[in-house]
Amino acid sequence: SAVHCVDPGVYLLVVRDAGDLHQDVRNPYTLRIDATANPDANEPNEERDDATALTPEMAQTGYLACADDADWFVFEVPERHLVDIRLEMPIATLQPRLEFFGPAGEPIINKVNRAAPREPTDMLESVAIAEAGTYAIKISDDDGRSADVAAQYTLTVTMAPNTDANEPNDEPDEATELDEMSFGGDDWTEWVEYEGTFGALGDDDWYRIPVTNAGRNHPGLLEVTVTLDT
């Protein structure tokens, strides 16, 4: 069984043995062809250039109705924002893939729900965005070969300002530079406080601590305490 999205026209279909090597005169086959409207009102949006404009905070529905179907969505993200992307789908005969791309087409998220044929899909991904621009989401089957015209998916995007003034500092080479800590004689640095937030799933905050006057004659302890309000 296969479902294809086609334009109006005349098509050819052939039924045969896979290798043209065998026959069976006792068991007939039944061929059934149905033609129905594509239930996805966003089509055509197979490519990024034809992407559907997505309004954050509003749920967008769609279908992966046929083989090789891919649905693209685009939306604007302001500078220094947190973006939550949620894909929901009932049990389906496909394995949905969620991809998220930056303004230059760089991949940010690529996740697949392999368990979709056994349980409903509920994928939630969060990412901290530093650069303003047009971002894109692609929804597809994991290998592009499966479809399920009865499984409607729901895509929801929410955004909020990123209150962590240290971002971006997710990697060691992006570490936030802190004030110098003095390990010298009578000039030992007292407690210094900084604030940050875990604004997105998987958020790592890196800090670089310069230590001065340290050496064999000035041994010391560097104490770090992390406190959360709740």
Side-chain angles (χ1 to χ4, degrees):
S1 176
V3 180
H4 298 276
C5 296
V6 298
D7 296 322
V10 178
Y11 292 82
L12 296 176
L13 184 148
V14 60
V15 180
R16 66 187 188 189
D17 171 58
D20 290 333
L21 299 174
H22 301 282
Q23 64 184 37
D24 188 338
V25 298
R26 294 183 299 273
N27 299 300
Y29 66 79
T30 300
L31 177 65
R32 188 184 73 203
I33 303 175
D34 297 322
T36 60
N38 192 329
D40 195 338
N42 299 313
E43 298 291 350
N45 62 350
E46 305 294 311
E47 305 291 339
R48 181 164 181 159
D49 291 342
D50 299 320
T52 301
L54 189 67
T55 301
E57 315 298 335
M58 294 183 60
Q60 178 71 60
T61 59
Y63 295 85
L64 297 175
C66 52
D68 297 323
D69 190 11
D71 295 343
W72 283 83
F73 301 88
V74 293
F75 60 100
E76 298 296 323
V77 181
E79 183 180 8
R80 296 181 57 78
H81 266 61
L82 301 172
V83 176
D84 288 341
I85 302 172
R86 188 165 202 161
L87 177 65
E88 299 171 279
M89 178 186 288
I91 293 176
T93 58
L94 53 84
Q95 296 173 325
R97 181 184 297 275
L98 169 65
E99 297 176 81
F100 183 45
F101 300 91
E106 68 276 18
I108 300 175
I109 293 173
N110 188 339
K111 294 292 181 66
V112 177
N113 180 20
R114 303 291 184 190
R118 302 187 304 273
E119 59 187 38
T121 295
D122 189 357
M123 300 170 62
L124 176 62
E125 299 294 331
S126 300
V127 61
I129 299 298
E131 177 187 357
T134 302
Y135 289 75
I137 296 174
K138 178 183 178 183
I139 308 297
S140 62
D141 174 54
D142 67 323
D143 58 9
R145 294 186 295 180
S146 299
D148 194 333
V149 71
Q152 183 186 62
Y153 67 78
T154 301
L155 176 64
T156 308
V157 173
T158 58
M159 296 190 302
N162 191 346
T163 59
D164 192 341
N166 302 311
E167 296 289 353
N169 63 348
D170 292 345
E171 302 294 338
D173 58 359
E174 299 175 326
T176 300
E177 188 83 15
L178 302 184
D179 296 332
E180 290 186 349
M181 306 288 290
S182 176
F183 275 33
D186 297 329
D187 188 23
W188 294 88
T189 300
E190 299 292 335
W191 280 102
V192 181
E193 292 188 356
Y194 302 90
E195 290 187 351
T197 60
F198 296 114
L201 296 177
D203 185 15
D204 291 336
D205 292 343
W206 284 83
Y207 297 91
R208 182 177 294 106
I209 307 172
V211 175
T212 61
N213 299 324
R216 292 176 60 88
N217 297 326
H218 301 289
L221 299 177
L222 186 64
E223 183 177 355
V224 179
T225 300
V226 178
T227 303
L228 296 174
D229 292 338
T230 58

